[in-house]
Amino acid sequence: MARRAPAPTAPITARLAAPMAAAMAAWLLLCPAGGRGADLTVTDGASVRRLPAAALLHRADLVRLDLSRTTVKLGAGVAAIPLSHVAPCGGQALIFTARDRFVAGVPCAALSAARRRGVTAWIAIAEGPWPGNSLADLGPFALVWTGADAAAIPREDWVEQLVAIGQGDPDPLPAAPAGTQAARGRALFAVDCLPCHRLDGIGRGTKGPDLGRPMNVTAYLTPAGFHALVRDPRAVRHWPAQAMAGFPPDLIGDDGIAALWAYLQLVAPRAAP
């Protein structure tokens, strides 16, 4: 599954003992120019552009956004440039790659539909550690959205730790019969799982394991175990580098988890008779 874990939260005593200076020190190690040393790589076919943060911060189309109450909270007065000014969507989709190997594909049709609803996509530019990130920095760039209907944009289409934007086609998942439970599961997988997981080698996200190779997940999990893993991975198993957060019922209902299971079963290799 693809939902990214929120930045880890330290106990209150640890947070008090490690003030923002620690985050600033880590930031300076990553970006010696106070965050302005980072580049955003934009690829369009054979053309590759590297856009330095320092140059972006001096552009005439830069604005300041209040992102203190949005889905990804980066604070007030955040520097940002319209996505369409940085990477116009000339193909079927824009592909956003994060430093942590999370990959989100946003179809051009979805960008157009958002604009019609008064929602604007922006590239936010970090000028220092974004607030609340003493243990996990969300820079150097982020894909964010503003507008009255911005909360309707899927969580996976808010991309923090952004480092690259490319043009591409949506990854072609194996088909499922129209109108079936598996077809609904395929649609959910494309939105909620594909940004982090491949399926039988299909996809770009590698933050999590391939759910089809070397063995389909339905071959080693029960339906109950899969349901528990989607809801709360830490209730099933835990390891230090675990990155997946659970999907509460308001994001994926029980029927949605059942649909995902049906789709994964559909694409699982059939045993030889």
Side-chain angles (χ1 to χ4, degrees), residues 36-113:
R36 302 187 181 204
D39 290 348
L40 177 64
T41 301
V42 179
T43 304
D44 184 359
S47 170
V48 178
R49 293 178 291 141
R50 297 191 183 279
L51 307 179
L56 293 174
L57 288 168
H58 286 91
R59 285 177 48 147
D61 53 354
L62 182 133
V63 302
R64 296 283 172 177
L65 301 176
D66 183 357
L67 300 176
S68 58
R69 298 183 180 182
T70 48
T71 298
V72 172
K73 297 174 176 59
L74 302 179
V78 176
I81 293 174
L83 170 64
S84 59
H85 295 190
V86 176
C89 201
Q92 291 192 21
L94 287 178
I95 310 300
F96 298 87
T97 302
R99 191 175 62 233
D100 64 357
R101 296 175 297 159
F102 178 93
V103 179
V106 181
C108 296
L111 290 167
S112 298

Side-chain angles (χ1 to χ4, degrees), residues 5-269:
T9 302
I12 186 65
T13 53
R15 293 203 302 271
L16 290 173
M20 199 63 183
M24 181 61 77
W27 175 266
L28 291 172
L29 285 173
L30 289 171
C31 301
R36 302 187 181 204
D39 290 348
L40 177 64
T41 301
V42 179
T43 304
D44 184 359
S47 170
V48 178
R49 293 178 291 141
R50 297 191 183 279
L51 307 179
L56 293 174
L57 288 168
H58 286 91
R59 285 177 48 147
D61 53 354
L62 182 133
V63 302
R64 296 283 172 177
L65 301 176
D66 183 357
L67 300 176
S68 58
R69 298 183 180 182
T70 48
T71 298
V72 172
K73 297 174 176 59
L74 302 179
V78 176
I81 293 174
L83 170 64
S84 59
H85 295 190
V86 176
C89 201
Q92 291 192 21
L94 287 178
I95 310 300
F96 298 87
T97 302
R99 191 175 62 233
D100 64 357
R101 296 175 297 159
F102 178 93
V103 179
V106 181
C108 296
L111 290 167
S112 298
R115 283 195 297 270
R116 290 194 294 271
R117 301 198 313 270
V119 175
T120 303
W122 303 84
I123 298 301
I125 308 159
E127 298 173 271
W130 272 317
N133 302 321
S134 60
L135 298 180
D137 180 63
L138 300 188
F141 305 95
L143 170 65
V144 299
W145 307 76
T146 61
D149 201 29
I153 299 296
R155 174 64 182 88
E156 279 67 29
D157 290 347
W158 298 72
V159 184
E160 59 267 31
Q161 299 185 354
L162 179 66
V163 293
I165 306 173
Q167 302 273 354
D169 296 334
D171 294 298
L173 289 168
T180 63
Q181 184 185 38
R184 185 183 174 213
R186 181 185 185 278
L188 286 170
F189 193 97
V191 172
D192 293 315
C193 306
L194 203 58
C196 287
H197 300 277
R198 293 181 178 180
L199 181 61
D200 293 324
I202 296 171
R204 298 178 179 88
T206 58
K207 187 172 183 179
D210 191 313
L211 297 182
R213 294 179 180 174
M215 182 183 290
N216 186 283
V217 67
T218 62
Y220 57 85
L221 283 178
T222 64
F226 180 74
H227 185 282
L229 188 68
V230 173
R231 278 283 174 261
D232 182 9
R234 288 166 177 78
V236 178
R237 57 190 177 194
H238 177 65
W239 60 96
Q242 187 171 26
M244 179 178 164
F247 286 82
D250 61 324
L251 291 180
I252 299 182
D254 290 345
D255 56 342
I257 296 177
L260 284 168
W261 181 262
Y263 177 62
L264 289 167
Q265 282 190 310
L266 176 72
V267 301

